[in-house]
Amino acid sequence: MTETTDLPSEATIHAWARLVRVSQDLIGRVEADLKAAGHPPLAWYDVLLELRRAEPDRLRPYQLQERLLLAQYNMSRLLDRMAKAGLIQRVPCEEDGRGHILAITEEGQAVRRAMWPVYAHAIARHFGDRLTAGEAETLTALLTKLKE
Amino acid sequence: MTETTDLPSEATIHAWARLVRVSQDLIGRVEADLKAAGHPPLAWYDVLLELRRAEPDRLRPYQLQERLLLAQYNMSRLLDRMAKAGLIQRVPCEEDGRGHILAITEEGQAVRRAMWPVYAHAIARHFGDRLTAGEAETLTALLTKLKE
DNA sequence: CCTTAGTAAATGCAGCTGCATCTATATGAG
DNA sequence: CTCATATAGATGCAGCTGCATTTACTAAGG
């Protein structure tokens, strides 16, 4: 029986360690900027944006899960909170009695629009301003390779 | 009054979105591999490794916080759990009556050694195998620029 | 000394996440 | 039609995280 535990190279280990630390640090900084401006967390923005992008079609919770890579129970509760906050609505689904269709409310639209300038500025400040345009593209390409 | 809300470019926004999604996805996969092998979470490994690296010197909780970018209360509780599991010990600090010095136990060493092959293989499988050596270095360089 | 300010670490509480399970509906085989 | 299986989504419970505050000690100025 052959051991196929291909261990990672030093270069790989360094890259991995950097990826973990830097991405968590940057996400934390951006989240902090949103919070400091009185806005909800990033995940809420992601939901609002996906729902907006899907228009005029509407999404169901499981579609949102797939797109945002969130666990089912996690999405269920996130939608609970957003519904309680009045940003979305769950409408019973005609074709499938088990499910719902998600709709952004006017207030949800307003929150999304209000969040974007803060989010955009945070992305620029903590991330974009530290890379040239070419570097950003290189990074995107590398991360895309990692996406499988 | 001049608006200086330098908005991020399209390339920057794409890179940011990829970074957030891909890093969270990869970390999740690696964590899942550790858990599937019956090991503790990544953060535990980070602590054990930092303590090991510091030898023969020993670290105090606040030094670990700085190195691992964890919040103070978060570190305090992580150390609680690890102490309860018998992997580390908190020894009262001679020079500073407020603090403690952290020591890995034999079992902590054993756990760290047992975790590494699983962790290494997960890094290779989900991350390293998808990049050439040159790409890993390029990625490290880009992430280093983001580190400020 | 004593007082004041600062730092190391712990903790109560509320909200979030993971896991397992549960409910309700859909779908497909016989 | 009926039963088995699969899928959409919710939920109880335990553990983790964030926030604010507390406890214990150090340090520095009068």
PDB file of all heavy atoms in Angstrom, chain C residues 15-28:
ATOM      1  P    DG C  15     -30.022  39.465  21.896  1.00  0.00           P
ATOM      2  OP1  DG C  15     -30.711  40.701  21.484  1.00  0.00           O
ATOM      3  OP2  DG C  15     -30.772  38.277  22.375  1.00  0.00           O
ATOM      4  O5'  DG C  15     -29.111  38.996  20.671  1.00  0.00           O
ATOM      5  C5'  DG C  15     -28.093  39.860  20.180  1.00  0.00           C
ATOM      6  C4'  DG C  15     -27.083  39.029  19.431  1.00  0.00           C
ATOM      7  O4'  DG C  15     -26.458  38.086  20.333  1.00  0.00           O
ATOM      8  C3'  DG C  15     -27.688  38.196  18.298  1.00  0.00           C
ATOM      9  O3'  DG C  15     -26.817  38.316  17.193  1.00  0.00           O
ATOM     10  C2'  DG C  15     -27.670  36.772  18.859  1.00  0.00           C
ATOM     11  C1'  DG C  15     -26.402  36.826  19.696  1.00  0.00           C
ATOM     12  N9   DG C  15     -26.280  35.792  20.716  1.00  0.00           N
ATOM     13  C8   DG C  15     -27.140  35.506  21.748  1.00  0.00           C
ATOM     14  N7   DG C  15     -26.724  34.527  22.496  1.00  0.00           N
ATOM     15  C5   DG C  15     -25.512  34.142  21.933  1.00  0.00           C
ATOM     16  C6   DG C  15     -24.587  33.131  22.315  1.00  0.00           C
ATOM     17  O6   DG C  15     -24.669  32.345  23.252  1.00  0.00           O
ATOM     18  N1   DG C  15     -23.491  33.091  21.455  1.00  0.00           N
ATOM     19  C2   DG C  15     -23.308  33.918  20.378  1.00  0.00           C
ATOM     20  N2   DG C  15     -22.196  33.741  19.651  1.00  0.00           N
ATOM     21  N3   DG C  15     -24.152  34.875  20.013  1.00  0.00           N
ATOM     22  C4   DG C  15     -25.229  34.925  20.839  1.00  0.00           C
ATOM     23  P    DC C  16     -27.308  37.801  15.745  1.00  0.00           P
ATOM     24  OP1  DC C  16     -27.033  38.885  14.779  1.00  0.00           O
ATOM     25  OP2  DC C  16     -28.659  37.208  15.854  1.00  0.00           O
ATOM     26  O5'  DC C  16     -26.268  36.628  15.481  1.00  0.00           O
ATOM     27  C5'  DC C  16     -24.878  36.935  15.462  1.00  0.00           C
ATOM     28  C4'  DC C  16     -24.095  35.663  15.297  1.00  0.00           C
ATOM     29  O4'  DC C  16     -24.227  34.875  16.503  1.00  0.00           O
ATOM     30  C3'  DC C  16     -24.549  34.765  14.147  1.00  0.00           C
ATOM     31  O3'  DC C  16     -23.383  34.458  13.387  1.00  0.00           O
ATOM     32  C2'  DC C  16     -25.168  33.546  14.832  1.00  0.00           C
ATOM     33  C1'  DC C  16     -24.425  33.515  16.164  1.00  0.00           C
ATOM     34  N1   DC C  16     -25.131  32.903  17.319  1.00  0.00           N
ATOM     35  C2   DC C  16     -24.531  31.848  18.016  1.00  0.00           C
ATOM     36  O2   DC C  16     -23.437  31.415  17.631  1.00  0.00           O
ATOM     37  N3   DC C  16     -25.171  31.315  19.076  1.00  0.00           N
ATOM     38  C4   DC C  16     -26.343  31.797  19.475  1.00  0.00           C
ATOM     39  N4   DC C  16     -26.933  31.238  20.538  1.00  0.00           N
ATOM     40  C5   DC C  16     -26.978  32.879  18.787  1.00  0.00           C
ATOM     41  C6   DC C  16     -26.342  33.403  17.717  1.00  0.00           C
ATOM     42  P    DT C  17     -23.412  33.503  12.113  1.00  0.00           P
ATOM     43  OP1  DT C  17     -22.281  33.899  11.269  1.00  0.00           O
ATOM     44  OP2  DT C  17     -24.798  33.467  11.605  1.00  0.00           O
ATOM     45  O5'  DT C  17     -23.056  32.079  12.728  1.00  0.00           O
ATOM     46  C5'  DT C  17     -21.738  31.849  13.230  1.00  0.00           C
ATOM     47  C4'  DT C  17     -21.562  30.373  13.502  1.00  0.00           C
ATOM     48  O4'  DT C  17     -22.329  30.013  14.664  1.00  0.00           O
ATOM     49  C3'  DT C  17     -22.013  29.454  12.368  1.00  0.00           C
ATOM     50  O3'  DT C  17     -20.898  28.638  12.043  1.00  0.00           O
ATOM     51  C2'  DT C  17     -23.208  28.697  12.935  1.00  0.00           C
ATOM     52  C1'  DT C  17     -22.988  28.791  14.448  1.00  0.00           C
ATOM     53  N1   DT C  17     -24.193  28.846  15.323  1.00  0.00           N
ATOM     54  C2   DT C  17     -24.250  28.034  16.424  1.00  0.00           C
ATOM     55  O2   DT C  17     -23.365  27.240  16.700  1.00  0.00           O
ATOM     56  N3   DT C  17     -25.371  28.174  17.193  1.00  0.00           N
ATOM     57  C4   DT C  17     -26.438  29.039  16.976  1.00  0.00           C
ATOM     58  O4   DT C  17     -27.390  29.075  17.750  1.00  0.00           O
ATOM     59  C5   DT C  17     -26.320  29.871  15.810  1.00  0.00           C
ATOM     60  C7   DT C  17     -27.416  30.836  15.501  1.00  0.00           C
ATOM     61  C6   DT C  17     -25.223  29.743  15.048  1.00  0.00           C
ATOM     62  P    DG C  18     -21.039  27.440  10.994  1.00  0.00           P
ATOM     63  OP1  DG C  18     -19.713  27.241  10.378  1.00  0.00           O
ATOM     64  OP2  DG C  18     -22.235  27.673  10.167  1.00  0.00           O
ATOM     65  O5'  DG C  18     -21.326  26.209  11.953  1.00  0.00           O
ATOM     66  C5'  DG C  18     -20.355  25.833  12.919  1.00  0.00           C
ATOM     67  C4'  DG C  18     -20.726  24.500  13.535  1.00  0.00           C
ATOM     68  O4'  DG C  18     -21.827  24.690  14.436  1.00  0.00           O
ATOM     69  C3'  DG C  18     -21.161  23.451  12.513  1.00  0.00           C
ATOM     70  O3'  DG C  18     -20.541  22.216  12.852  1.00  0.00           O
ATOM     71  C2'  DG C  18     -22.689  23.425  12.662  1.00  0.00           C
ATOM     72  C1'  DG C  18     -22.881  23.801  14.122  1.00  0.00           C
ATOM     73  N9   DG C  18     -24.118  24.517  14.435  1.00  0.00           N
ATOM     74  C8   DG C  18     -24.666  25.561  13.733  1.00  0.00           C
ATOM     75  N7   DG C  18     -25.774  26.018  14.253  1.00  0.00           N
ATOM     76  C5   DG C  18     -25.970  25.225  15.382  1.00  0.00           C
ATOM     77  C6   DG C  18     -27.004  25.251  16.346  1.00  0.00           C
ATOM     78  O6   DG C  18     -27.988  25.996  16.410  1.00  0.00           O
ATOM     79  N1   DG C  18     -26.822  24.269  17.309  1.00  0.00           N
ATOM     80  C2   DG C  18     -25.768  23.388  17.355  1.00  0.00           C
ATOM     81  N2   DG C  18     -25.768  22.530  18.364  1.00  0.00           N
ATOM     82  N3   DG C  18     -24.797  23.358  16.457  1.00  0.00           N
ATOM     83  C4   DG C  18     -24.956  24.295  15.503  1.00  0.00           C
ATOM     84  P    DC C  19     -20.724  20.935  11.988  1.00  0.00           P
ATOM     85  OP1  DC C  19     -19.472  20.157  12.113  1.00  0.00           O
ATOM     86  OP2  DC C  19     -21.257  21.321  10.683  1.00  0.00           O
ATOM     87  O5'  DC C  19     -21.846  20.133  12.783  1.00  0.00           O
ATOM     88  C5'  DC C  19     -21.625  19.791  14.165  1.00  0.00           C
ATOM     89  C4'  DC C  19     -22.850  19.106  14.708  1.00  0.00           C
ATOM     90  O4'  DC C  19     -23.880  20.089  14.944  1.00  0.00           O
ATOM     91  C3'  DC C  19     -23.450  18.073  13.756  1.00  0.00           C
ATOM     92  O3'  DC C  19     -23.503  16.816  14.427  1.00  0.00           O
ATOM     93  C2'  DC C  19     -24.845  18.611  13.434  1.00  0.00           C
ATOM     94  C1'  DC C  19     -25.123  19.511  14.632  1.00  0.00           C
ATOM     95  N1   DC C  19     -26.063  20.620  14.349  1.00  0.00           N
ATOM     96  C2   DC C  19     -27.100  20.869  15.246  1.00  0.00           C
ATOM     97  O2   DC C  19     -27.210  20.158  16.246  1.00  0.00           O
ATOM     98  N3   DC C  19     -27.950  21.898  14.998  1.00  0.00           N
ATOM     99  C4   DC C  19     -27.794  22.656  13.905  1.00  0.00           C
ATOM    100  N4   DC C  19     -28.648  23.656  13.707  1.00  0.00           N
ATOM    101  C5   DC C  19     -26.735  22.414  12.972  1.00  0.00           C
ATOM    102  C6   DC C  19     -25.897  21.391  13.233  1.00  0.00           C
ATOM    103  P    DA C  20     -23.914  15.489  13.618  1.00  0.00           P
ATOM    104  OP1  DA C  20     -23.064  14.402  14.124  1.00  0.00           O
ATOM    105  OP2  DA C  20     -23.968  15.800  12.178  1.00  0.00           O
ATOM    106  O5'  DA C  20     -25.400  15.259  14.136  1.00  0.00           O
ATOM    107  C5'  DA C  20     -25.655  15.341  15.551  1.00  0.00           C
ATOM    108  C4'  DA C  20     -27.151  15.438  15.777  1.00  0.00           C
ATOM    109  O4'  DA C  20     -27.620  16.742  15.386  1.00  0.00           O
ATOM    110  C3'  DA C  20     -27.951  14.422  14.957  1.00  0.00           C
ATOM    111  O3'  DA C  20     -28.730  13.643  15.858  1.00  0.00           O
ATOM    112  C2'  DA C  20     -28.799  15.270  14.007  1.00  0.00           C
ATOM    113  C1'  DA C  20     -28.849  16.618  14.692  1.00  0.00           C
ATOM    114  N9   DA C  20     -28.915  17.744  13.751  1.00  0.00           N
ATOM    115  C8   DA C  20     -28.125  17.955  12.652  1.00  0.00           C
ATOM    116  N7   DA C  20     -28.421  19.053  11.984  1.00  0.00           N
ATOM    117  C5   DA C  20     -29.478  19.596  12.708  1.00  0.00           C
ATOM    118  C6   DA C  20     -30.233  20.765  12.520  1.00  0.00           C
ATOM    119  N6   DA C  20     -30.048  21.630  11.513  1.00  0.00           N
ATOM    120  N1   DA C  20     -31.218  21.023  13.426  1.00  0.00           N
ATOM    121  C2   DA C  20     -31.402  20.156  14.441  1.00  0.00           C
ATOM    122  N3   DA C  20     -30.747  19.024  14.712  1.00  0.00           N
ATOM    123  C4   DA C  20     -29.789  18.807  13.801  1.00  0.00           C
ATOM    124  P    DT C  21     -29.657  12.483  15.316  1.00  0.00           P
ATOM    125  OP1  DT C  21     -29.711  11.489  16.406  1.00  0.00           O
ATOM    126  OP2  DT C  21     -29.259  12.105  13.940  1.00  0.00           O
ATOM    127  O5'  DT C  21     -31.070  13.227  15.257  1.00  0.00           O
ATOM    128  C5'  DT C  21     -31.419  14.104  16.323  1.00  0.00           C
ATOM    129  C4'  DT C  21     -32.634  14.909  15.936  1.00  0.00           C
ATOM    130  O4'  DT C  21     -32.281  15.943  15.000  1.00  0.00           O
ATOM    131  C3'  DT C  21     -33.742  14.085  15.272  1.00  0.00           C
ATOM    132  O3'  DT C  21     -34.898  14.228  16.067  1.00  0.00           O
ATOM    133  C2'  DT C  21     -33.895  14.723  13.888  1.00  0.00           C
ATOM    134  C1'  DT C  21     -33.386  16.133  14.141  1.00  0.00           C
ATOM    135  N1   DT C  21     -32.918  16.883  12.942  1.00  0.00           N
ATOM    136  C2   DT C  21     -33.492  18.101  12.668  1.00  0.00           C
ATOM    137  O2   DT C  21     -34.365  18.610  13.361  1.00  0.00           O
ATOM    138  N3   DT C  21     -33.008  18.733  11.553  1.00  0.00           N
ATOM    139  C4   DT C  21     -32.030  18.263  10.693  1.00  0.00           C
ATOM    140  O4   DT C  21     -31.696  18.925   9.722  1.00  0.00           O
ATOM    141  C5   DT C  21     -31.471  16.972  11.022  1.00  0.00           C
ATOM    142  C7   DT C  21     -30.407  16.358  10.154  1.00  0.00           C
ATOM    143  C6   DT C  21     -31.941  16.357  12.128  1.00  0.00           C
ATOM    144  P    DC C  22     -36.189  13.371  15.771  1.00  0.00           P
ATOM    145  OP1  DC C  22     -36.731  12.965  17.088  1.00  0.00           O
ATOM    146  OP2  DC C  22     -35.924  12.371  14.715  1.00  0.00           O
ATOM    147  O5'  DC C  22     -37.163  14.493  15.163  1.00  0.00           O
ATOM    148  C5'  DC C  22     -37.337  15.703  15.897  1.00  0.00           C
ATOM    149  C4'  DC C  22     -38.172  16.664  15.066  1.00  0.00           C
ATOM    150  O4'  DC C  22     -37.336  17.242  14.047  1.00  0.00           O
ATOM    151  C3'  DC C  22     -39.350  15.984  14.360  1.00  0.00           C
ATOM    152  O3'  DC C  22     -40.544  16.696  14.680  1.00  0.00           O
ATOM    153  C2'  DC C  22     -38.998  16.070  12.888  1.00  0.00           C
ATOM    154  C1'  DC C  22     -38.052  17.265  12.829  1.00  0.00           C
ATOM    155  N1   DC C  22     -37.061  17.172  11.716  1.00  0.00           N
ATOM    156  C2   DC C  22     -36.914  18.250  10.843  1.00  0.00           C
ATOM    157  O2   DC C  22     -37.604  19.257  11.018  1.00  0.00           O
ATOM    158  N3   DC C  22     -36.013  18.157   9.833  1.00  0.00           N
ATOM    159  C4   DC C  22     -35.289  17.049   9.677  1.00  0.00           C
ATOM    160  N4   DC C  22     -34.418  17.005   8.666  1.00  0.00           N
ATOM    161  C5   DC C  22     -35.423  15.932  10.557  1.00  0.00           C
ATOM    162  C6   DC C  22     -36.317  16.029  11.561  1.00  0.00           C
ATOM    163  P    DT C  23     -41.987  15.993  14.263  1.00  0.00           P
ATOM    164  OP1  DT C  23     -42.896  16.180  15.405  1.00  0.00           O
ATOM    165  OP2  DT C  23     -41.769  14.665  13.662  1.00  0.00           O
ATOM    166  O5'  DT C  23     -42.443  16.982  13.103  1.00  0.00           O
ATOM    167  C5'  DT C  23     -42.459  18.384  13.356  1.00  0.00           C
ATOM    168  C4'  DT C  23     -42.746  19.098  12.054  1.00  0.00           C
ATOM    169  O4'  DT C  23     -41.586  19.024  11.196  1.00  0.00           O
ATOM    170  C3'  DT C  23     -43.909  18.481  11.279  1.00  0.00           C
ATOM    171  O3'  DT C  23     -44.828  19.513  10.959  1.00  0.00           O
ATOM    172  C2'  DT C  23     -43.253  17.866  10.051  1.00  0.00           C
ATOM    173  C1'  DT C  23     -42.016  18.736   9.876  1.00  0.00           C
ATOM    174  N1   DT C  23     -40.865  18.107   9.176  1.00  0.00           N
ATOM    175  C2   DT C  23     -40.276  18.790   8.144  1.00  0.00           C
ATOM    176  O2   DT C  23     -40.646  19.880   7.769  1.00  0.00           O
ATOM    177  N3   DT C  23     -39.217  18.137   7.563  1.00  0.00           N
ATOM    178  C4   DT C  23     -38.713  16.903   7.901  1.00  0.00           C
ATOM    179  O4   DT C  23     -37.758  16.434   7.304  1.00  0.00           O
ATOM    180  C5   DT C  23     -39.381  16.243   8.994  1.00  0.00           C
ATOM    181  C7   DT C  23     -38.915  14.901   9.436  1.00  0.00           C
ATOM    182  C6   DT C  23     -40.420  16.863   9.586  1.00  0.00           C
ATOM    183  P    DA C  24     -46.261  19.156  10.291  1.00  0.00           P
ATOM    184  OP1  DA C  24     -47.222  20.146  10.801  1.00  0.00           O
ATOM    185  OP2  DA C  24     -46.517  17.708  10.386  1.00  0.00           O
ATOM    186  O5'  DA C  24     -45.987  19.496   8.754  1.00  0.00           O
ATOM    187  C5'  DA C  24     -45.568  20.807   8.398  1.00  0.00           C
ATOM    188  C4'  DA C  24     -45.185  20.784   6.936  1.00  0.00           C
ATOM    189  O4'  DA C  24     -43.967  20.022   6.790  1.00  0.00           O
ATOM    190  C3'  DA C  24     -46.225  20.104   6.041  1.00  0.00           C
ATOM    191  O3'  DA C  24     -46.539  20.993   4.982  1.00  0.00           O
ATOM    192  C2'  DA C  24     -45.530  18.847   5.542  1.00  0.00           C
ATOM    193  C1'  DA C  24     -44.076  19.241   5.611  1.00  0.00           C
ATOM    194  N9   DA C  24     -43.134  18.127   5.740  1.00  0.00           N
ATOM    195  C8   DA C  24     -43.171  17.090   6.624  1.00  0.00           C
ATOM    196  N7   DA C  24     -42.180  16.239   6.496  1.00  0.00           N
ATOM    197  C5   DA C  24     -41.433  16.756   5.457  1.00  0.00           C
ATOM    198  C6   DA C  24     -40.258  16.325   4.829  1.00  0.00           C
ATOM    199  N6   DA C  24     -39.600  15.221   5.182  1.00  0.00           N
ATOM    200  N1   DA C  24     -39.775  17.078   3.822  1.00  0.00           N
ATOM    201  C2   DA C  24     -40.431  18.195   3.473  1.00  0.00           C
ATOM    202  N3   DA C  24     -41.549  18.704   3.985  1.00  0.00           N
ATOM    203  C4   DA C  24     -42.003  17.929   4.979  1.00  0.00           C
ATOM    204  P    DT C  25     -47.828  20.727   4.113  1.00  0.00           P
ATOM    205  OP1  DT C  25     -48.521  22.014   3.951  1.00  0.00           O
ATOM    206  OP2  DT C  25     -48.526  19.525   4.639  1.00  0.00           O
ATOM    207  O5'  DT C  25     -47.215  20.344   2.689  1.00  0.00           O
ATOM    208  C5'  DT C  25     -46.325  21.262   2.085  1.00  0.00           C
ATOM    209  C4'  DT C  25     -45.371  20.497   1.212  1.00  0.00           C
ATOM    210  O4'  DT C  25     -44.714  19.455   1.944  1.00  0.00           O
ATOM    211  C3'  DT C  25     -46.044  19.793   0.034  1.00  0.00           C
ATOM    212  O3'  DT C  25     -45.689  20.510  -1.144  1.00  0.00           O
ATOM    213  C2'  DT C  25     -45.466  18.384   0.061  1.00  0.00           C
ATOM    214  C1'  DT C  25     -44.276  18.536   0.987  1.00  0.00           C
ATOM    215  N1   DT C  25     -43.842  17.297   1.674  1.00  0.00           N
ATOM    216  C2   DT C  25     -42.679  16.700   1.263  1.00  0.00           C
ATOM    217  O2   DT C  25     -41.989  17.139   0.360  1.00  0.00           O
ATOM    218  N3   DT C  25     -42.345  15.558   1.947  1.00  0.00           N
ATOM    219  C4   DT C  25     -43.043  14.973   2.988  1.00  0.00           C
ATOM    220  O4   DT C  25     -42.641  13.945   3.527  1.00  0.00           O
ATOM    221  C5   DT C  25     -44.242  15.652   3.369  1.00  0.00           C
ATOM    222  C7   DT C  25     -45.066  15.116   4.489  1.00  0.00           C
ATOM    223  C6   DT C  25     -44.595  16.784   2.712  1.00  0.00           C
ATOM    224  P    DA C  26     -46.178  20.104  -2.579  1.00  0.00           P
ATOM    225  OP1  DA C  26     -46.186  21.349  -3.388  1.00  0.00           O
ATOM    226  OP2  DA C  26     -47.399  19.299  -2.465  1.00  0.00           O
ATOM    227  O5'  DA C  26     -44.999  19.184  -3.132  1.00  0.00           O
ATOM    228  C5'  DA C  26     -43.726  19.748  -3.362  1.00  0.00           C
ATOM    229  C4'  DA C  26     -42.786  18.664  -3.834  1.00  0.00           C
ATOM    230  O4'  DA C  26     -42.661  17.655  -2.809  1.00  0.00           O
ATOM    231  C3'  DA C  26     -43.229  17.936  -5.113  1.00  0.00           C
ATOM    232  O3'  DA C  26     -42.117  17.902  -5.976  1.00  0.00           O
ATOM    233  C2'  DA C  26     -43.617  16.544  -4.618  1.00  0.00           C
ATOM    234  C1'  DA C  26     -42.714  16.376  -3.410  1.00  0.00           C
ATOM    235  N9   DA C  26     -43.198  15.474  -2.364  1.00  0.00           N
ATOM    236  C8   DA C  26     -44.333  15.584  -1.623  1.00  0.00           C
ATOM    237  N7   DA C  26     -44.494  14.628  -0.732  1.00  0.00           N
ATOM    238  C5   DA C  26     -43.369  13.836  -0.906  1.00  0.00           C
ATOM    239  C6   DA C  26     -42.933  12.661  -0.271  1.00  0.00           C
ATOM    240  N6   DA C  26     -43.607  12.061   0.710  1.00  0.00           N
ATOM    241  N1   DA C  26     -41.761  12.126  -0.686  1.00  0.00           N
ATOM    242  C2   DA C  26     -41.082  12.729  -1.676  1.00  0.00           C
ATOM    243  N3   DA C  26     -41.394  13.839  -2.341  1.00  0.00           N
ATOM    244  C4   DA C  26     -42.556  14.340  -1.905  1.00  0.00           C
ATOM    245  P    DT C  27     -42.342  17.608  -7.557  1.00  0.00           P
ATOM    246  OP1  DT C  27     -41.692  18.734  -8.236  1.00  0.00           O
ATOM    247  OP2  DT C  27     -43.777  17.293  -7.795  1.00  0.00           O
ATOM    248  O5'  DT C  27     -41.493  16.285  -7.844  1.00  0.00           O
ATOM    249  C5'  DT C  27     -40.456  15.902  -6.949  1.00  0.00           C
ATOM    250  C4'  DT C  27     -40.226  14.400  -7.033  1.00  0.00           C
ATOM    251  O4'  DT C  27     -40.839  13.745  -5.883  1.00  0.00           O
ATOM    252  C3'  DT C  27     -40.808  13.704  -8.264  1.00  0.00           C
ATOM    253  O3'  DT C  27     -39.838  12.803  -8.745  1.00  0.00           O
ATOM    254  C2'  DT C  27     -42.030  12.970  -7.710  1.00  0.00           C
ATOM    255  C1'  DT C  27     -41.484  12.577  -6.344  1.00  0.00           C
ATOM    256  N1   DT C  27     -42.480  12.188  -5.313  1.00  0.00           N
ATOM    257  C2   DT C  27     -42.195  11.112  -4.501  1.00  0.00           C
ATOM    258  O2   DT C  27     -41.180  10.457  -4.593  1.00  0.00           O
ATOM    259  N3   DT C  27     -43.150  10.815  -3.570  1.00  0.00           N
ATOM    260  C4   DT C  27     -44.356  11.475  -3.365  1.00  0.00           C
ATOM    261  O4   DT C  27     -45.142  11.122  -2.497  1.00  0.00           O
ATOM    262  C5   DT C  27     -44.583  12.600  -4.247  1.00  0.00           C
ATOM    263  C7   DT C  27     -45.862  13.382  -4.122  1.00  0.00           C
ATOM    264  C6   DT C  27     -43.655  12.904  -5.181  1.00  0.00           C
ATOM    265  P    DG C  28     -39.895  12.170 -10.260  1.00  0.00           P
ATOM    266  OP1  DG C  28     -39.180  13.053 -11.187  1.00  0.00           O
ATOM    267  OP2  DG C  28     -41.310  11.829 -10.516  1.00  0.00           O
ATOM    268  O5'  DG C  28     -39.070  10.809 -10.090  1.00  0.00           O
ATOM    269  C5'  DG C  28     -38.729  10.349  -8.779  1.00  0.00           C
ATOM    270  C4'  DG C  28     -39.108   8.888  -8.572  1.00  0.00           C
ATOM    271  O4'  DG C  28     -40.167   8.801  -7.582  1.00  0.00           O
ATOM    272  C3'  DG C  28     -39.631   8.145  -9.802  1.00  0.00           C
ATOM    273  O3'  DG C  28     -39.149   6.796  -9.712  1.00  0.00           O
ATOM    274  C2'  DG C  28     -41.146   8.195  -9.606  1.00  0.00           C
ATOM    275  C1'  DG C  28     -41.214   8.010  -8.098  1.00  0.00           C
ATOM    276  N9   DG C  28     -42.447   8.459  -7.468  1.00  0.00           N
ATOM    277  C8   DG C  28     -43.283   9.486  -7.858  1.00  0.00           C
ATOM    278  N7   DG C  28     -44.318   9.634  -7.066  1.00  0.00           N
ATOM    279  C5   DG C  28     -44.160   8.634  -6.102  1.00  0.00           C
ATOM    280  C6   DG C  28     -44.972   8.301  -4.985  1.00  0.00           C
ATOM    281  O6   DG C  28     -46.017   8.843  -4.615  1.00  0.00           O
ATOM    282  N1   DG C  28     -44.452   7.226  -4.274  1.00  0.00           N
ATOM    283  C2   DG C  28     -43.294   6.568  -4.595  1.00  0.00           C
ATOM    284  N2   DG C  28     -42.954   5.562  -3.805  1.00  0.00           N
ATOM    285  N3   DG C  28     -42.531   6.866  -5.628  1.00  0.00           N
ATOM    286  C4   DG C  28     -43.022   7.912  -6.344  1.00  0.00           C
TER     287       DG C  28
END
